[in-house]
Amino acid sequence: MTVFESARGAWEACAGMRATRARLKNFTYGRQWDDVVIDHKGQKVSEYEYASRGGRRPVTNNLLRSLVKSVVGRFRQNLLASRAAGAEAGVADDAGLEHVRRVNMLDELDARALEEFLISGCAVQKVCYERRFEGAGVWVDNVNPDRFFCNRYLDPRGSDIRLIGMLHEMSLPEMKMRFGHNNRRRQRDLAQVYSRGVGVRDGLGLLSSASTLIGQSDGGVSWASAGDPSLCRVIEVWTFEGESRAGGAWHCRYFAPDGSLIDETVSPFKHGSHPFAVNMYPLTDGEVHPFIEDVIDQQRHINHLITTIDHILAHSAKGALLYPQDALPPGYSYQEIIDMWARPGAVVPVAARATRMPAEVMSQGRCEGASQLLDLEMRMMQQISGVSSALQGQSIGGNMSASLYETQVQNSTIALLDVFETFNSFRSVRDRKAITTV
């Protein structure tokens, strides 16, 4: 297989991961009724449509977002605490790394990368040296997992990665600047490569038409075309070429969607490797099972229970008036009786021949079992995720001491220690690449 074909195969092999990420992301951000189910006619419909057809109003009580925010908040607090402890002990960070951290706002990037890590189990950043509007230097960027691909690997450290890359979207002028090398002939060739598979729109660069042939991939990102029709799809591929790490090198190539080679180079970095820092959590037999995946079923069940309780309460009798027909006095209408019944201190006339007196009906809406099950599911979500109410900063009862509350926070932090340490190891790899890029 050619490098381009191998890269395309790696991209297609990541389709399942992209589809899982799309589902988990939807749940995390509140779109929790999109799962497909089979109705009584054997047709595939969304859970939202299925519930609506049954006369229920789908209700979402998004607890996943709160879990993610609590973990990210604890991570930020740990960062501040470690910096304060280092400053108090007089330990200074590496000057070069501190410059990279400040220029790239790494704390903000890492917080967003951790959020992605919790949702999809994928933490990917790219470290490179290039000139940007802010100047030339070492730049760190978060990489969207929908645009990332690599070969299937088993080592949690990624030492068995042999092919890795990502998809870019660039304007034609940017491509000429990056890959034209100030050579008019190369710049003209670049325009010809893309004009073979795309149409040119005045003032907007290149409009891809290849997506109609190849189709859209999972996650809404296409291998063949950029999401913005004014931009061009560029595929960056890094491959390790050689029989051993001692005798091999990392080689970078940029391709057009049709496989045309745009540019290539060996690794220009001091560390001699590819520019990506990657960590998948937890990598078991090459499979990724992120933090959010563990509590998806509890979130779905909670939504169904709340919807059921809401349905019961909405269809139970609340202040229904039973007014016998023979109790209506002559000259009165039912509307007048209703108005008087609802008026405080009113006198409601009743016909003398009435066999029964009017009565008001109040239904308690029997949902005690559903309410108890809802409470159980919410406690199970805390136990499974390891994020307790104390870690979320929720108020405590008056009978709980401060020491007990702090103990609960520490226990929750221990339950999340594996997530934090795995992510911190990813940050360490990124930092090493940042200080050895040039």
Side-chain angles (χ1 to χ4, degrees), residues 126-261:
K126 183 181 179 183
V127 185
C128 63
Y129 181 90
E130 63 183 19
R131 180 176 297 278
R132 296 185 179 180
F133 291 115
E134 298 85 351
V138 177
W139 296 99
V140 180
D141 299 301
N142 285 344
V143 178
N144 187 332
D146 282 349
R147 301 177 183 274
F148 173 79
F149 58 89
C150 66
N151 65 276
R152 185 175 182 268
Y153 67 99
L154 302 178
D155 191 332
R157 299 165 297 181
S159 60
D160 50 345
I161 292 178
R162 292 295 183 269
L163 182 148
I164 192 170
M166 66 175 293
L167 307 183
H168 295 274
E169 296 181 354
M170 301 180 186
S171 65
L172 185 59
E174 181 181 0
M175 290 182 58
K176 290 180 178 179
M177 179 187 67
R178 285 177 176 267
F179 309 120
H181 303 299
N182 295 320
N183 184 301
R184 291 185 177 180
R185 185 172 186 176
R186 284 183 59 87
Q187 294 175 358
R188 184 174 62 252
D189 290 343
L190 284 172
Q192 291 177 350
V193 165
Y194 278 83
S195 66
R196 289 198 297 265
V198 297
V200 179
R201 252 203 309 189
D202 295 337
L204 290 178
L206 299 174
L207 174 62
S208 174
S209 60
S211 61
T212 58
L213 301 177
I214 300 179
Q216 297 291 325
S217 66
D218 297 294
V221 178
S222 169
W223 169 269
S225 61
D228 185 342
S230 66
L231 302 178
C232 307
R233 168 65 75 228
V234 178
I235 303 157
E236 177 183 0
V237 184
W238 290 76
T239 54
F240 181 77
E241 300 178 3
E243 296 181 357
S244 66
R245 286 195 172 272
W250 281 93
H251 199 109
C252 175
R253 297 176 178 86
Y254 291 90
F255 293 99
D258 64 354
S260 299
L261 182 63

Side-chain angles (χ1 to χ4, degrees), residues 94 96-97 100 127 138 270 430-438:
D94 180 271
L97 180 60
V100 173
V127 185
V138 177
K270 185 177 179 180
R430 186 273 318 279
D431 290 346
R432 288 198 300 270
K433 289 203 171 187
I435 61 179
T436 57
T437 295
V438 292

Side-chain angles (χ1 to χ4, degrees), residues 74 388-397 399-413:
R74 176 59 58 173
S388 67
S389 57
L391 187 67
Q392 292 178 294
Q394 298 178 8
S395 59
I396 59 177
N399 59 345
M400 180 181 292
S401 65
S403 60
L404 178 58
Y405 185 79
E406 185 61 28
T407 300
Q408 290 187 359
V409 173
Q410 293 177 359
N411 290 340
S412 293
T413 304

